[in-house]
Amino acid sequence: MMWECPEHQADEGGRITQPTQEYRSKGFIQKMLQVGRQEVSKSEPTLLERLHIRAPKTEEWWKSLAIESPYDKWWEIVEQYMTRSLTKDFDVLPALSGLARAFEPVLKDEYLAGHWKKDFMPSLMWSRNPRYPADESSRFDAAIPSEYLAPSWSWASILGNLSAMSTTWKTRDSLASSVLKVAEIIDVHTVTKGDDPFGQVIGGGLKMRGRFFPIKTMPPVWSLDNQFPEEPSDLPKLTPFEKIVYNSSRTVDVAIYEWYQSHKPHSGQSYGAFEIVRWKGAPGSGLPGSDFLMVESTGEKEDEYRRIGNVSVRKNPLPNQDEVGPDSFAF
């Protein structure tokens, strides 16, 4: 038999250990709610505080729980949440609204359909692992959203399994030290169904300024009738970058799945890659390169696009010929 609390975990033999990861989350949430209540009931600042002679002391209480930033805990919880199956898919954001409301006074940030405005750029390059049918009757679960869930830039816009959102801190740290160019966010907003800013979303938009690369074509979309789409015989000549995008969307499960979930065809549709970040040293690998959002035209407004995936390109260093054999140069 085991007993758990936010601070410790103990068994019937009296052995005390650190709490599990799940309970560390509960401890954080309990403390966060306590801090939120204190914020609401906080007394008026004294005269000295108002005159800035003595500023009120602020304490980053989350660091006592070995958490570098509350954003990290948010993304850790979201990552766990992604593995849950909801009876109604449009409840994806309403079911998370209570936690978002509790995080808001701690983060002091604007909530945007599962994202936060001050941490928006690090969280844009999400990806959702595919859902698979329990009976393994097809390559992927063919279910798609029953209605609009969120703007396409949000992880909540498609059905899917977990994403490595808990590593967002790596991107955040690298954005502060290892970038050559970052796209500019001009405006980002959401429209909620009611007055609750944390509830169901019925619209939204993202306007950015950066480098845009037209893409001639995309591979056939996965379907139950075409589980492993072949490359068409009339494929136009592609640039090296277009080949990377095309092959990723045709062979990588995560890319194939989002392309299937997000694609909404229209006559004369166009595609492109929008550069989000150009790295001097990308998070994880430390290699130079760029991260792109893959987009398609919506057909509703000129120059309006919908996210259909993402792709990362890295420049690998050439091997030292004096240190490696000829096999290292084989392709």
Side-chain angles (χ1 to χ4, degrees):
M1 185 177 292
M2 301 289 295
W3 290 268
E4 288 186 318
C5 75
E7 300 297 331
H8 296 289
Q9 180 174 290
D11 63 19
E12 56 188 334
R15 288 181 292 272
I16 297 176
T17 61
Q18 292 297 310
T20 62
Q21 184 62 38
E22 181 181 1
Y23 238 89
R24 281 196 292 272
S25 292
K26 292 178 181 177
F28 173 85
I29 292 169
Q30 289 174 358
K31 179 66 175 178
M32 182 173 63
L33 292 172
Q34 178 185 348
V35 170
R37 288 192 293 270
Q38 291 172 349
E39 286 284 329
V40 171
S41 60
K42 188 167 61 177
S43 60
E44 289 294 317
T46 66
L47 177 61
L48 289 177
E49 288 171 348
R50 286 200 299 269
L51 293 174
H52 302 289
I53 295 174
R54 190 181 70 193
K57 182 180 178 181
T58 59
E59 181 182 358
E60 295 180 334
W61 53 266
W62 51 83
K63 291 194 173 179
S64 66
L65 299 173
I67 297 169
E68 185 63 28
S69 166
Y71 290 111
D72 297 340
K73 182 54 66 174
W74 169 261
W75 292 120
E76 181 185 297
I77 292 171
V78 166
E79 185 177 285
Q80 297 171 14
Y81 177 65
M82 287 178 180
T83 64
R84 275 44 173 189
S85 296
L86 302 177
T87 303
K88 303 292 184 182
D89 52 24
F90 53 77
D91 281 337
V92 59
L93 291 174
L96 201 59
S97 62
L99 271 174
R101 189 175 290 104
F103 267 86
E104 192 270 338
V106 174
L107 297 175
K108 295 179 173 57
D109 199 356
E110 182 181 350
Y111 184 66
L112 296 162
H115 297 249
W116 296 94
K117 193 169 188 177
K118 294 177 186 175
D119 202 45
F120 191 70
M121 190 64 78
S123 65
L124 264 184
M125 290 297 290
W126 57 266
S127 59
R128 299 287 299 271
N129 287 335
R131 289 183 177 179
Y132 301 100
D135 59 4
E136 300 182 351
S137 58
S138 61
R139 185 177 180 183
F140 306 121
D141 187 331
I144 59 174
S146 61
E147 60 181 79
Y148 182 92
L149 302 182
S152 65
W153 43 258
S154 169
W155 58 265
S157 63
I158 66 172
L159 307 183
N161 214 316
L162 74 130
S163 171
M165 300 302 295
S166 60
T167 60
T168 301
W169 64 271
K170 294 182 180 179
T171 305
R172 189 187 311 123
D173 288 354
S174 296
L175 282 170
S177 60
S178 302
V179 296
L180 296 173
K181 185 71 174 178
V182 182
E184 178 187 358
I185 297 176
I186 299 172
D187 175 65
V188 57
H189 67 276
T190 57
V191 180
T192 54
K193 189 172 183 178
D195 296 332
D196 183 5
F198 307 101
Q200 186 175 353
V201 171
I202 57 174
L206 170 61
K207 189 174 183 179
M208 303 185 76
R209 181 182 290 116
R211 295 203 301 174
F212 181 86
F213 300 86
I215 300 295
K216 293 188 193 74
T217 189
M218 291 288 287
V221 180
W222 175 87
S223 69
L224 288 173
D225 297 327
N226 191 12
Q227 304 249 1
F228 295 89
E230 295 291 333
E231 185 175 301
S233 57
D234 59 347
L235 185 69
K237 186 176 181 179
L238 304 177
T239 66
F241 176 66
E242 287 176 322
K243 287 180 182 177
I244 292 173
V245 171
Y246 188 92
N247 289 333
S248 172
S249 301
R250 192 177 70 86
T251 61
V252 180
D253 277 9
V254 169
I256 296 169
Y257 185 74
E258 185 177 351
W259 172 221
Y260 162 72
Q261 285 273 319
S262 303
H263 177 54
K264 295 177 176 59
H266 70 83
S267 177
Q269 193 158 45
S270 59
Y271 307 97
F274 182 79
E275 186 182 53
I276 296 295
V277 186
R278 199 179 321 153
W279 298 104
K280 179 171 58 178
S285 69
L287 297 173
S290 294
D291 291 341
F292 300 87
L293 290 185
M294 301 307 305
V295 296
E296 66 178 15
S297 57
T298 64
E300 298 173 6
K301 296 179 183 178
E302 187 177 359
D303 294 329
E304 182 181 74
Y305 293 87
R306 172 190 307 110
R307 172 186 158 137
I308 54 173
N310 69 78
V311 66
S312 297
V313 178
R314 300 290 181 260
K315 183 178 180 181
N316 291 292
L318 292 174
N320 186 328
Q321 298 184 46
D322 297 329
E323 297 179 359
V324 298
D327 290 344
S328 300
F329 295 90
F331 292 93

